[in-house]
Amino acid sequence: MATRLLRSRWQSGPVPLSLCGAHISLTDFTATTHPQAAAVALAGLRLRRTWRRTPGALGMWLWADVLGRRSGAVSVWRDEVALKEFVGRPDHLEIVRSHRGRGALRATAWRVEDFERDAVWDRARALLTGTTPWPHGPVHLEDA
């Protein structure tokens, strides 16, 4: 059965898209149960509300594979430093800690010199559907 991905609309950040290069982050969380998957997706939606005020963010999509208990984000950053600052934010850390031990996370990142939304989403979708292999294996949240 083919993976069916749902994707949110593009959510712009405070950094204008006129910047040429971008740092892309892709996260994929697989929950152990469907209720846990719903809780993670809801946490992502709440965090998305802060996106327009997130320093260094160009934009993002949330995505979900409901049947596969998977969800995550494709986030676009000015640079790797901005991504690291977001990952260390108290509200993000609270979400990670509250779901520790309840699934597996994998993530990857790459740099593009000319940001094009369609090209970034196509690359992310290829990773999420297994068309392209992930460069890294899963990270269990006990280790994160």
Side-chain angles (χ1 to χ4, degrees):
M1 179 180 209
T3 302
R4 176 143 164 76
L5 296 179
L6 303 174
R7 177 181 74 166
S8 70
R9 289 183 302 160
W10 174 257
Q11 174 68 57
S12 295
V15 177
L17 287 176
S18 60
L19 295 176
C20 293
H23 186 77
I24 315 301
S25 172
L26 171 62
T27 58
D28 179 356
F29 180 78
T30 302
T32 54
T33 67
H34 283 286
Q36 188 64 38
V40 170
L42 185 59
L45 286 169
R46 281 194 299 266
L47 196 56
R48 185 177 189 262
R49 292 183 196 153
T50 69
W51 205 253
R52 291 188 189 275
R53 299 181 312 277
T54 299
L58 280 80
M60 59 96 74
W61 294 281
L62 293 177
W63 67 270
D65 168 13
V66 177
L67 294 177
R69 301 180 322 273
R70 297 169 54 212
S71 64
V74 179
S75 55
V76 183
W77 303 91
R78 176 185 58 232
D79 53 32
E80 188 175 2
V81 172
L83 169 61
K84 286 181 179 182
E85 289 173 355
F86 169 77
V87 168
R89 265 180 28 181
D91 55 349
H92 182 262
L93 288 173
E94 181 181 333
I95 291 169
V96 171
R97 288 180 183 133
S98 68
H99 298 289
R100 185 170 281 149
R102 297 185 175 142
L105 174 71
R106 58 184 176 172
T108 190
W110 65 93
R111 177 100 186 134
V112 295
E113 293 309 317
D114 294 309
F115 174 68
E116 295 178 24
R117 275 196 240 181
D118 291 341
V120 167
W121 176 252
D122 288 347
R123 182 171 178 182
R125 183 179 53 217
L127 289 163
L128 294 169
T129 60
T131 305
T132 300
W134 278 73
H136 310 289
V139 175
H140 295 281
L141 288 181
E142 295 83 9
D143 305 326

